[in-house]
Amino acid sequence: MPAGGPKKNMGRLSLTAAAVASADDGGVGKLKSSWPEMVGKEMVEAVAIIMSQRQDVIFKFLQADDPQPPDFDDHRVCLFLDENLIVVRTPVVG
């Protein structure tokens, strides 16, 4: 043993969004996948809020009348925006 006593390993702690969600929801492991409360918010605010809850997603920005993309991506959130960049449909993962 070194003269100063045992060395303590102060390793880094890394949490994924899934691990944080598991801790927050009692360990069930469900990540938030829908944000109806974002309808009516400005794009920048909506992105910031969603990113604070799901750091694992990317965003696809679409016009208000665009269809939902046909392919499913569990790491994508589609934001449907009007001409003033206001969210007009509930953002969902997919």
Side-chain angles (χ1 to χ4, degrees):
M1 190 178 298
K7 289 186 178 181
K8 293 182 180 178
N9 183 356
M10 300 299 286
R12 293 183 180 201
L13 176 64
S14 175
L15 294 176
T16 64
V20 172
S22 293
D24 288 344
D25 68 5
V28 176
K30 287 193 169 194
L31 295 173
K32 189 164 182 176
S33 62
S34 177
W35 292 266
E37 67 275 17
M38 294 302 114
V39 175
K41 294 201 180 291
E42 292 181 346
M43 176 192 66
V44 174
E45 182 181 8
V47 167
I49 292 169
I50 295 168
M51 284 298 296
S52 74
Q53 298 171 1
R54 288 286 304 265
Q55 297 82 23
D56 64 319
V57 298
I58 60 166
F59 293 88
K60 181 168 182 124
F61 301 100
L62 301 159
Q63 293 180 1
D65 57 351
D66 285 344
Q68 180 77 24
D71 60 319
F72 183 83
D73 182 345
D74 61 351
H75 293 287
R76 176 183 63 203
V77 173
C78 293
L79 287 182
F80 292 90
L81 308 167
D82 68 9
E83 61 278 354
N84 297 311
L85 302 180
I86 302 297
V87 178
V88 295
R89 289 172 35 191
T90 298
V92 294
V93 171

